[in-house]
Amino acid sequence: MLEVILKGHDKYYGVSDVVRMFCGVPEELKDEGKVIAPDGPDITLVNELSKDGRSVTYTEGRSYASEGEILEPGREIKRSLYMALSDITSKRLPWGCLTGIRPTLVACEVQSPKELEEKYFVRPDKALLAFETSREEQHILSKVPEESLCIYVGIPFCPSRCAYCSFVSSDISCHMDRLVNYEAALEREISLVAPAVKRPLSAIYVGGGTPTVLGEKEFASLLDRIYKEFKITPGCEVTIEAGRPDTITDGKLEAMREHGITRICINPQTMRSETLQKLGRIHTAEEAVRVYKKACDMGFDLINMDLIAGLPHENADEHVRSTAKLIELAPANITVHTLYKKRRAAMSRDTVMDLEMARGKLDECVAESYRLLKEAGYHPYYMYRQKDTGHGLENTGFAKGDTGSLYNVAMMSDCRDVLSFGAGGMSKRCFAQEGEAVKHRVERCPTIKDALNYIERVEEMAEKKISFFGM
Ligand code: SF4
């Protein structure tokens, strides 16, 4: 059992986050002043923050402290703990002691990738990735005026549930009746709130779940509502997440084209049909290709396709082959996710972390996918990490030319406001702290997660948002 005793500080979250990367989910025993990981090496460490701001982590006969510039306390304690655990377990992690979901925020503060390597022990390839991506994110963010608003519209229903899914999404095979009522409630919420929105819109994202799970009539009606209620100017990016190819019909593509949707996502996740079937997705890789080609023929030129590395039932080579197949199709955006585990997924955390791919091959195959994408002219434009991702890796969106999604970057940046509609949506307002130019303080306004409750309380949800935004 690993025990970390905190001394001179109370940064339990920071200590837990580092321990978690090496030894699995730990317990924070705040009353006892320590963090323990039952599955870790049998050792007791003291993680101390001294009065001069330097952190040292020590155990009998060994002590670890960084040299040079002293960082802010939260980062300082992670550095010394990372050094200790990395030495004791002989493990080096791709992102070093960076545990946050947005390494690009840290990359914005440094002058070179080398600085990320030296200060945070980030591996050179990841340091370069974060550095390049952070510059591209800043470029995209400059196209989203601070006073503008991004809109999210959520449809938490899917045609079946994927084994790895952690989202609040209902399988329509059990909840078809709810879907029609939900869509009506969603339109009601939009029509109640939209008249109060006076700010210009930069991006609208219709996500889920799977928005295209709606019937053709309901789908067209929702698009009508969005375009009728909001002032959508030509520069506004409008994305529809048409994630599951089995839900995309010619009629729905036609509705999207008629309304002027600028970006669609068709997400195969893997180009191996056998894997898709085993994961509970009721479509084949061929179906994804057919729908993609149909969308191209209809004139959609900004299509994103998602892949997940580390899926069970397939090996590293099969993931790389999927990337190569998508590159042949040449969509404008390809996003490479790494499988991660959250509470609601059918697959356990241990399954995700123990998969053969998670033990090392995952890292290699993600690197190979990135290499192929760069060779084919794609560049990374946004990135984020999630807890419990296989091998501590990340999710990266790649784009050709200037096609990176404004919404993705604005939403992840936490410095642009987002107004969300639908069950489970999170609206947020971003503020600059006094004396700071960049917005870092975020206030959030959640919408009720349960679809049935949402339908019943939609007026209340609408009022809550109008008041939250002071509209
Ligand atoms: S399509 Fe996405 S939201 Fe729907 S079940 Fe699969 S992973 Fe979950």
Side-chain angles (χ1 to χ4, degrees), residues 103-314:
T104 48
L105 282 187
V106 183
C108 278
E109 301 166 8
V110 301
Q111 301 306 314
S112 69
K114 196 85 193 146
E115 221 178 309
L116 290 173
E117 295 172 36
E118 289 170 357
K119 278 189 183 164
Y120 305 102
F121 315 110
V122 178
R123 211 171 62 192
D125 60 323
K126 297 300 180 196
L128 182 63
L129 175 70
F131 193 78
E132 283 178 357
T133 311
S134 70
R135 271 52 188 173
E136 188 58 24
E137 284 179 357
Q138 292 309 308
H139 165 67
I140 291 176
L141 218 43
S142 70
K143 296 190 275 184
V144 185
E146 286 203 21
E147 70 283 7
S148 72
L149 196 59
C150 294
I151 303 278
Y152 179 81
V153 180
I155 292 107
F157 292 87
C158 287
S160 65
R161 194 156 173 90
C162 309
Y164 55 82
C165 182
S166 61
F167 297 108
V168 186
S169 176
S170 305
D171 178 343
I172 52 154
S173 56
C174 323
H175 301 294
M176 193 61 204
D177 52 328
R178 277 187 209 168
L179 187 56
V180 175
N181 293 340
Y182 180 83
E183 192 277 329
L186 191 54
E187 283 199 45
R188 172 101 182 110
E189 193 192 6
I190 293 171
S191 62
L192 287 171
V193 178
V197 175
K198 305 292 179 222
R199 294 161 64 177
L201 303 183
S202 284
I204 299 179
Y205 193 100
V206 184
T210 307
T212 39
V213 78
L214 294 170
E216 287 189 356
K217 186 166 144 263
E218 288 79 18
F219 183 71
S221 172
L222 178 62
L223 295 188
D224 283 346
R225 177 68 57 193
I226 291 171
Y227 275 79
K228 183 175 153 220
E229 301 286 357
F230 292 114
K231 194 160 175 265
I232 301 176
T233 52
C236 180
E237 173 188 277
V238 188
T239 301
I240 303 284
E241 198 178 310
R244 298 273 288 257
D246 44 317
T247 60
I248 308 172
T249 61
D250 291 2
K252 290 177 211 175
L253 283 172
E254 196 53 61
M256 288 190 252
R257 184 167 65 174
E258 274 172 13
H259 285 88
I261 300 301
T262 58
R263 181 173 182 270
I264 58 176
C265 303
I266 301 169
N267 301 327
Q269 314 300 8
T270 168
M271 293 303 279
R272 188 168 175 267
S273 297
E274 202 185 321
T275 312
L276 289 168
Q277 196 193 4
K278 286 183 176 160
L279 290 171
R281 287 175 72 100
I282 43 182
H283 66 88
T284 60
E286 292 70 34
E287 214 169 343
V289 174
R290 184 188 61 74
V291 171
Y292 169 79
K293 288 187 173 164
K294 176 82 190 176
C296 291
D297 291 345
M298 288 176 72
F300 290 98
D301 55 4
L302 214 173
I303 299 177
N304 171 71
M305 298 185 94
D306 276 2
L307 287 175
I308 301 177
L311 286 172
H313 315 297
E314 68 177 28

